[in-house]
Amino acid sequence: MRVPGSRAAVVAVAITLVASVAVAVKLAEEPVPVSASTAAGTTASGAAAAAVAAPAVAAPAAVAPAAVAPAHGTVAAAAPAGAARYRPNVVMIMADDLDSSLVKYMPNLKKLQKRGADFRRSFVVDSLCCSSRASFLTGMYPHNSKVFINTTGPDPANPIGGHAAWVKADNNKKTFAYAMSGQQGGYRTGFFGKFINHYQGTSGSAAPAGWSTFQGLTGNLYAMWGYRLASNGSGIQGARTVQTRSFGTRPTEYSTDVLRRRAVSYLRSAERDGRPYFVELAPTSVHSRASKIVRKGEPVFPAALRDRPLKDKKAKKNPKRRFGDCGPVRCDKIDVAKTPGFNASRAASRPRYADGRPAPLFGQTAKLRKADVNRMRRYHRDRVRMAQSLDDMIGAVMKTVGPDTYLVFTSDNGYHLGHKRLGRGKTTPYDTDIRVPLIIAGPGVVRGPRYQVVQNIDLSSTFEQIAGLRPDQRRDGRSLLPILRNPRAAWSRYAFVEHTRPVRDVNDPDNEKISLETPSYLAVRSADSMLVRYDTRGGDPAGYTYEYYTGLSRPRAYEHTNVYNPHNPTVQTLLRKLEAFADCERAECAALTR
């Protein structure tokens, strides 16, 4: 049971701790306790003041040197032997294909944004579902996680993507969940939603290692109805194997709602249990229904029925719902054609060969016709409607968890609709596709915007450090705790993106035309600029092509004019970074971001 205490008291203590000199000295190395812990490891917010006064809570002077790589899963030396560790809970909500333009239409997410740290320069390592999620879970770039695309690839014996590649690389035992749920972590871990692409979850198969409770979507998961759920139980400690249940097409079986109800039930049990927990919710909102239609007349982006426009007599009886639910804005007032770069000519962004000569463009180049523009408008409004059930999930979680809980929201990648005339899809190196929301609220987090360049691989180390563990030495990313405590903390200057062009596969949920047209590439992104190297060699070593953009930090800026010049000293520096990044590991990767 939690000792009674107000949220205001917890926040006040957190602010006091941030100001503490002793805490600031060790901020980059240890999580900062903001309340006392009971013997069982649960927090006692009412006794939080004691944590400030107790010298044992602060990081001791004897800390392992930073140059020495810690062993896998070791506990951070946050307190003397025998002292209880402060272990706050964490709830992570991972959206699917949600670009930053949708945040303003999600009231509960906006509330969370005001409560926590809002990362304005958060980038994914790849704008593709499977590789991005694998990197998030392991804290590794794709060339280290060995998961490059959504599907197995051309040779099943040597998979390069999907669940087959995930398993072959033994990635289940490399996740932060595996470390946190271990003996030294001591966390209950729950997973609800989309796991790794092409996870089958057949009845009787083993639940993925690292998750105490696992409920993974399988089958027709993008249709939002007619899917299956592989579950090892609904309690806080599930079985070792999963059993599969099929869901139909009733309104109550909309997958985001089902996941919300199940996760909230789990969270209530976990709150009563008192042991620290980590929960990830991963609905397929706002991904397109990349599968067969299971309900007649389904749109490409299927929102919950309650959020869709009403028709005929129903619309007359309820005029407020005539256009559906788009949060704070009437749906017909939302226009994707007004977003930066929509239907913009790509003539000025033509790639260049290494010597500066113009190279061919990839993807669609013709101006979108009126019918195409209207289609993009419809898609965008449906995505906003689809985001409302996701926002309901966020609101339900916020009401359920206690004050000693970190709430984290992000997306596996972004999405574009008509940006630079590229139709709909993702996989490009442009901000629409690689820049995603990242909002973190919780104990000791200073509210407000963050302008440091961060990536989704940083979250793995962040969660481990919150749990009192030293981040696994295999991580390519870095813990974000220093930035959470100090908005002006020094940080990385660069983010890296690594994309592999997928093979044509009817089972790929991201088989939009642009996915097959975008070449493989490496990119390095700073706060204001981006260099992309496309692998268009086709057997010719001199066949790389490049794009270089600056001024991206300005309001409404987008990648308009390619200013690549091989003689530019900045370009030369970034090219060297890309060369070194291609096969970097662990600390080498982190060093390149500086």
Side-chain angles (χ1 to χ4, degrees):
M1 295 292 291
R2 295 183 183 277
V3 177
S6 69
R7 290 176 183 258
V10 174
V11 173
V13 172
I15 295 173
T16 303
L17 282 168
V18 173
S20 167
V21 175
V23 169
V25 171
K26 290 297 180 183
L27 198 56
E29 297 175 309
E30 302 294 346
V32 183
V34 296
S35 64
S37 298
T38 66
T42 60
T43 58
S45 54
V52 179
V57 171
V63 178
V68 179
H72 165 61
T74 57
V75 178
R85 282 186 293 134
Y86 173 67
R87 296 186 295 178
N89 308 311
V90 182
V91 179
M92 167 78 192
I93 300 177
M94 171 75 76
D96 200 341
D97 285 10
L98 189 139
D99 62 279
S100 297
S101 71
L102 300 184
V103 172
K104 59 186 175 184
Y105 305 112
M106 303 173 68
N108 288 315
L109 183 57
K110 293 291 289 182
K111 291 178 183 178
L112 184 65
Q113 190 179 48
K114 292 179 180 179
R115 283 175 45 181
D118 177 19
F119 288 83
R120 305 290 177 85
R121 292 168 180 157
S122 172
F123 301 94
V124 294
V125 299
D126 187 12
S127 181
L128 195 66
C129 290
C130 196
S131 49
S132 179
R133 289 171 184 261
S135 290
F136 156 69
L137 289 167
T138 62
M140 302 178 187
Y141 290 107
H143 67 264
N144 290 328
S145 74
K146 306 304 179 186
V147 180
F148 298 97
I149 61 176
N150 289 337
T151 58
T152 301
D155 182 6
N158 296 288
I160 59 172
H163 192 247
W166 172 267
V167 171
K168 184 176 181 180
D170 201 23
N171 280 331
N172 279 321
K173 295 182 179 179
K174 299 175 185 177
T175 68
F176 61 81
Y178 187 79
M180 293 174 71
S181 65
Q183 184 175 0
Q184 296 193 38
Y187 272 65
R188 298 289 194 189
T189 53
F191 184 93
F192 299 82
K194 174 181 171 180
F195 188 45
I196 296 294
N197 290 61
H198 294 284
Y199 166 72
Q200 298 299 314
T202 54
S203 290
S205 63
W211 301 103
S212 310
T213 298
F214 182 85
Q215 299 191 28
L217 293 170
T218 68
N220 204 25
L221 66 163
Y222 298 103
M224 310 306 287
W225 282 280
Y227 54 90
R228 297 191 301 274
L229 194 66
S231 170
N232 70 343
S234 58
I236 57 176
Q237 181 60 59
R240 294 184 178 181
T241 58
V242 298
Q243 298 299 318
T244 301
R245 173 187 168 184
S246 297
F247 287 76
T249 59
R250 292 178 298 178
T252 56
E253 292 177 297
Y254 188 74
S255 64
T256 303
D257 293 343
V258 169
L259 294 174
R260 169 176 52 80
R261 293 192 297 267
R262 287 175 169 245
V264 166
S265 176
Y266 177 94
L267 288 170
R268 288 171 178 163
S269 297
E271 286 282 323
R272 290 192 298 268
D273 177 71
R275 282 170 286 186
Y277 61 80
F278 176 96
V279 173
E280 180 180 347
L281 286 80
T284 51
S285 301
V286 291
H287 200 288
S288 63
R289 53 154 181 80
S291 47
K292 64 179 182 180
I293 299 175
V294 296
R295 291 175 61 94
K296 185 178 179 180
E298 281 292 89
V300 173
F301 296 94
L305 297 185
R306 64 181 178 276
D307 298 322
R308 298 187 185 186
L310 296 179
K311 298 179 180 179
D312 305 325
K313 293 182 179 180
K314 291 183 179 180
K316 292 182 180 180
K317 291 182 179 180
N318 193 348
K320 289 184 178 180
R321 288 194 54 202
R322 176 184 175 188
F323 300 103
D325 187 356
C326 289
V329 181
R330 211 173 79 174
C331 295
D332 64 320
K333 301 297 183 182
I334 297 173
D335 189 359
V336 71
K338 295 180 180 180
T339 56
F342 183 86
N343 209 8
S345 171
R346 297 174 59 206
S349 61
R350 179 179 295 276
R352 302 277 171 172
Y353 288 109
D355 58 8
R357 290 179 296 115
L361 284 163
F362 66 87
Q364 181 176 327
T365 58
K367 186 176 181 178
L368 299 179
R369 298 171 298 177
K370 183 177 180 179
D372 298 322
V373 172
N374 288 335
R375 186 181 304 110
M376 297 302 150
R377 287 192 175 109
R378 184 172 69 252
Y379 288 161
H380 186 58
R381 290 167 185 166
D382 281 344
R383 281 168 58 81
V384 175
R385 295 181 182 108
M386 200 175 183
Q388 300 313 305
S389 59
L390 174 60
D391 196 57
D392 292 340
M393 173 184 283
I394 296 169
V397 169
M398 291 172 68
K399 291 178 181 178
T400 304
V401 301
D404 297 309
T405 303
Y406 285 88
L407 294 178
V408 184
F409 177 86
T410 192
S411 179
D412 58 354
N413 48 254
Y415 202 80
H416 64 258
L417 288 169
H419 180 71
K420 299 180 68 167
R421 302 179 178 176
L422 288 172
R424 72 175 179 95
K426 49 195 178 188
T427 71
T428 78
Y430 306 134
D431 270 15
T432 51
D433 297 7
I434 66 169
R435 193 173 192 164
V436 296
L438 175 58
I439 299 169
I440 304 177
V445 176
V446 178
R447 302 180 186 185
R450 301 295 191 273
Y451 296 100
Q452 294 90 338
V453 174
V454 302
Q455 293 201 262
N456 55 343
I457 55 167
D458 296 325
L459 290 170
S460 191
S461 296
T462 305
F463 298 149
E464 288 174 323
Q465 194 174 17
I466 287 174
L469 297 170
R470 291 199 183 281
D472 191 304
Q473 62 183 350
R474 292 171 293 193
R475 310 291 181 226
D476 296 330
R478 302 162 59 198
S479 171
L480 298 176
L481 273 183
I483 312 179
L484 295 177
R485 313 295 189 187
N486 178 10
R488 296 186 178 183
W491 197 249
S492 304
R493 295 177 58 198
Y494 302 103
F496 289 90
V497 185
E498 175 182 358
H499 177 70
T500 299
R501 183 177 182 174
V503 296
R504 187 179 297 276
D505 191 324
V506 295
N507 295 314
D508 189 341
D510 297 321
N511 58 3
E512 293 100 339
K513 185 179 179 182
I514 187 64
S515 296
L516 299 174
E517 294 174 339
T518 305
S520 299
Y521 63 81
L522 297 179
V524 54
R525 178 67 157 81
S526 71
D528 190 64
S529 64
M530 178 179 66
L531 175 69
V532 189
R533 186 189 76 180
Y534 295 106
D535 189 352
T536 52
R537 293 171 296 172
D540 179 5
Y544 285 124
T545 58
Y546 301 87
E547 292 179 20
Y548 180 58
Y549 302 97
T550 59
L552 299 180
S553 61
R554 295 195 298 265
R556 294 184 61 82
Y558 70 96
E559 307 81 357
H560 179 270
T561 303
N562 179 9
V563 293
Y564 171 81
N565 180 344
H567 305 296
N568 183 326
T570 302
V571 169
Q572 293 174 352
T573 299
L574 295 180
L575 285 172
R576 288 193 292 269
K577 282 185 173 291
L578 285 182
E579 289 288 346
F581 168 75
D583 57 0
C584 72
E585 293 183 355
R586 306 176 184 179
E588 297 173 346
C589 298
L592 290 171
T593 66
R594 298 185 177 95

